[in-house]
Structure formats: C-alpha cells, structure tokens
Amino acid sequence: MRARTEQEWIRLLKESDELKPDQEYIHQTRKKLLYEARKLRSKREKKKVWRMIWPSMMAVALAAILVVTVVSQTEAPKPHSSTYSSLETASKPSQIDKNTKVFIYNTHSRESFETKEIAGYNRTKNVQAVAKDLGLYLKQQSIPNTIDDTDYVKLLLKKDMDFKDIYKLSRKSVKKAVKDYPNVQLMLDIHRDAGVEEREITTTKVNGKSVAKVQFFVSNSHLDYSENLKMAVELDHMLNEMYPGISRGIIQEKKDGYRNSLSYNQDLHPGALMINIGGVENTLKEEERTAKMLATAIKHVLNRHPN
C-alpha cells in the first residue's frame, strides 16, 4: 500500500469531524474569550489610573520625609555615652559628677597594643580601652571618676594639624574639667610607652601573672611642677610597695634630657600626670591587670589626701 504524503495527511485531518466543533463548544469558548478581554481591559485601566496618581503620591511622600527630617534636627540631641561628647571642643558634658576625684583622658588616643602596624596606632586595642578599665576599677573602689573618651587623633586628622599640636586639643578638655570638677585630685593622661618595643622592659609578673609596667612622666617646664612630682612619687612608691617591680619609676623632663616647651597640661592642675602603661608588645589583658592594681594604689594615695 502506497504511503500517504504529508500533504494528504494534513488534508484528511482538516476534513475530519473532530475539527468541526459543535455549537456548545463555540459558545463556551466565546464566553471565555470575552471574560479574558474584560480582565485585560480592567488591567489597562488600572495602569492608566496608577500613572495618573503616582506623581501626587510621590509628592506627598517627599513632603512627609522633609517634615520628619526638620523635626528630628530641631529636637534636643540625645546624651552621648562620653562625658565630653563633641570632638570639636570639650563641649558641655551631658552629666557632670561634681564628686569626681579622678579625671582620665588619652591625648594619644590610638596608641595601641597587640599590633604590628606602623607606629602602633589603630582604632582598636588602644589606650582608650585601658582608660575605661581604670575607670571601672576606680568605681569599684568607690572613687568617683570621669573619662573623656574624645578621639584626639581623629580630631587632629580632621583639623589637618601637626601631630606635635595634639596637646593643644586635649588641653581644652583638661581646662574645662578643672572648672567642672572642683574636687578632682588626679588628672591622668594614659599612654603606652612609644619608645620601647622590647616586651621584657615593659612587662613583669605579679602573683605569677604577666602585667604591664607603669611609668610616670613629669614635665619641669612650668613653675609649679614640684606638686606634680610629689604626686607621682607617692603613686610610684605605693605601686612598688603593693606590687614590687611594677613601676619603672619617674621620668622628669629636663633631668632626663627632654627639651619641650609643652607642659603636657600639667601646669593646669597639681595632680595632672602622664602615665605610660606598658608598651606596644603588651596585651590588653596585661594592661587590664595593671589598671586594676593602679586603681588600688590610687585609692590608698587619695585616702592620704582627703578633700
């Protein structure tokens, strides 16, 4: 039997009854097509309406955002966690504890530990963490204290000032603190030794645990430096009496060959001191242990000098 060609098969299919639908099928199909057409027209109308109202909605939304922004800018600022909350100046503290006996700050705010970075400066693991530890342990010893956590290095960079001028920035904070805290007895600028990299020089052991050594720096470049020196001597003796070997002693500016017109803020208060706690090779844990011991020594010294 001859095989049908493709054209013949197509002709047969066209003439078959299956391709001739009945009236019911045609009616149902028409209804469905009409329904789909109405849906499509409805969607088009909705899109048209949306295009008309969209600009108005955007205008209302932008107006609302503008109102919220203006209101938020006119509201009173929320207190910062820092006593001195502004980097630009030693601004008005959000809370002033008139009983403060120890004021703590970090002129070289990014002197760091556990780092191999150039100059040992970064934003973490730095002397500001040590200042916070010291403040915490002083509080545990019932000694009211205030910490200025201003990042003076950040402020210096922002103002594009020479590094040697950084003490001009911290000086504003210290001068204000002298006025704000009439009972303050110590004003401690916490550093870590920038000139010593050997760990064995800045580290010792107390009760079998490694701790960072302490060193005091007193400037002789102002007339009343003897008062600052007297306080440094008392703290140095107390530390070594309680924790033998923990203090590296006292550096006096002129006596030890330093020549600088700065007083390092020590002319502003007889209890103003610069303290090096450890060096770049020390760990934060070692720094924390020393901060706790220093707080205990401070308590004993201040008890000798009740206000």
Side-chain angles (χ1 to χ4, degrees):
M1 181 178 179
R2 180 178 67 85
R4 290 188 174 91
T5 64
E6 182 177 351
Q7 287 76 14
E8 290 175 324
W9 279 115
I10 293 173
R11 179 175 56 78
L12 289 172
L13 287 170
K14 285 182 178 180
E15 293 175 355
S16 66
D17 292 337
E18 284 79 3
L19 294 179
K20 297 177 182 179
D22 58 21
Q23 292 300 314
E24 178 62 22
Y25 175 81
I26 294 173
H27 176 69
Q28 293 298 330
T29 301
R30 181 174 180 276
K31 285 177 61 178
K32 184 175 181 180
L33 290 173
L34 288 173
Y35 174 73
E36 294 296 332
R38 283 194 296 269
K39 280 177 58 178
L40 182 60
R41 184 172 58 188
S42 177
K43 287 181 180 180
R44 287 175 179 171
E45 289 177 350
K46 287 179 181 178
K47 286 182 179 180
K48 183 177 179 181
V49 172
W50 178 250
R51 283 196 297 268
M52 292 175 62
I53 68 173
W54 171 250
S56 299
M57 292 180 66
M58 283 298 296
V60 172
L62 289 172
I65 292 172
L66 180 61
V67 170
V68 171
T69 302
V70 172
V71 171
S72 65
Q73 289 179 347
T74 56
E75 289 179 346
K78 295 181 180 180
H80 192 275
S81 58
S82 169
T83 301
Y84 289 80
S85 58
S86 172
L87 286 176
E88 291 299 327
T89 60
S91 61
K92 183 178 180 181
S94 56
Q95 292 182 344
I96 297 177
D97 183 358
K98 293 292 185 180
N99 296 316
T100 290
K101 291 187 176 182
V102 181
F103 179 76
I104 307 167
Y105 66 107
N106 307 100
T107 299
H108 293 166
S109 53
R110 295 189 183 181
E111 286 184 330
S112 307
F113 308 93
E114 304 177 29
T115 177
K116 297 299 182 183
E117 294 182 16
I118 296 175
Y121 267 62
N122 64 30
R123 298 180 182 181
T124 61
K125 297 183 179 180
N126 58 39
V127 290
Q128 288 193 308
V130 183
K132 290 178 181 178
D133 287 336
L134 179 58
L136 174 63
Y137 289 123
L138 285 170
K139 185 177 180 181
Q140 291 179 1
Q141 298 283 356
S142 300
I143 299 176
N145 66 91
T146 296
I147 299 173
D148 168 21
D149 66 2
T150 302
D151 186 345
Y152 290 105
V153 173
K154 179 179 180 180
L155 180 55
L156 186 85
L157 296 173
K158 182 178 180 180
K159 290 180 174 291
D160 195 25
M161 296 170 62
D162 290 336
F163 191 78
K164 63 182 177 61
D165 293 327
I166 196 168
Y167 282 92
K168 294 179 181 178
L169 300 177
S170 63
R171 187 174 183 83
K172 294 180 180 179
S173 295
V174 177
K175 288 178 72 174
K176 183 163 178 42
V178 170
K179 295 179 181 179
D180 288 342
Y181 308 112
N183 297 313
V184 69
Q185 293 176 269
L186 285 173
M187 310 194 80
L188 305 180
D189 189 3
I190 305 298
H191 294 251
R192 61 108 172 93
D193 198 323
V196 177
E197 295 183 359
E198 294 81 2
R199 175 176 166 78
E200 58 270 20
I201 295 178
T202 61
T203 312
T204 189
K205 284 195 174 183
V206 174
N207 298 325
K209 294 183 179 179
S210 295
V211 300
K213 287 187 176 182
V214 175
Q215 185 181 53
F216 299 92
F217 182 94
V218 176
S219 171
N220 295 1
S221 61
H222 64 101
L223 295 176
D224 299 321
Y225 81 91
S226 60
E227 294 299 315
N228 306 84
L229 180 59
K230 187 185 300 182
M231 183 60 76
V233 168
E234 285 197 59
L235 284 170
D236 175 65
H237 287 172
M238 182 60 69
L239 274 169
N240 277 330
E241 181 181 324
M242 300 180 71
Y243 314 103
I246 195 173
S247 178
R248 294 169 58 199
I250 302 168
I251 293 178
Q252 296 184 55
E253 187 176 30
K254 291 180 181 177
K255 177 182 176 182
D256 294 295
Y258 288 86
R259 293 289 184 270
N260 199 311
S261 60
L262 293 173
S263 68
Y264 303 100
N265 303 325
Q266 293 177 19
D267 61 309
L268 299 176
H269 192 277
L273 298 173
M274 186 189 300
I275 304 180
N276 288 328
I277 303 181
V280 70
E281 290 292 328
N282 287 104
T283 67
L284 279 178
K285 191 62 181 178
E286 291 166 342
E287 295 287 317
E288 180 187 351
R289 291 171 184 150
T290 300
K292 186 174 184 178
M293 296 175 193
L294 179 58
T296 303
I298 288 172
K299 176 184 179 181
H300 282 77
V301 169
L302 293 187
N303 285 342
R304 296 177 179 177
H305 303 277
N307 281 346

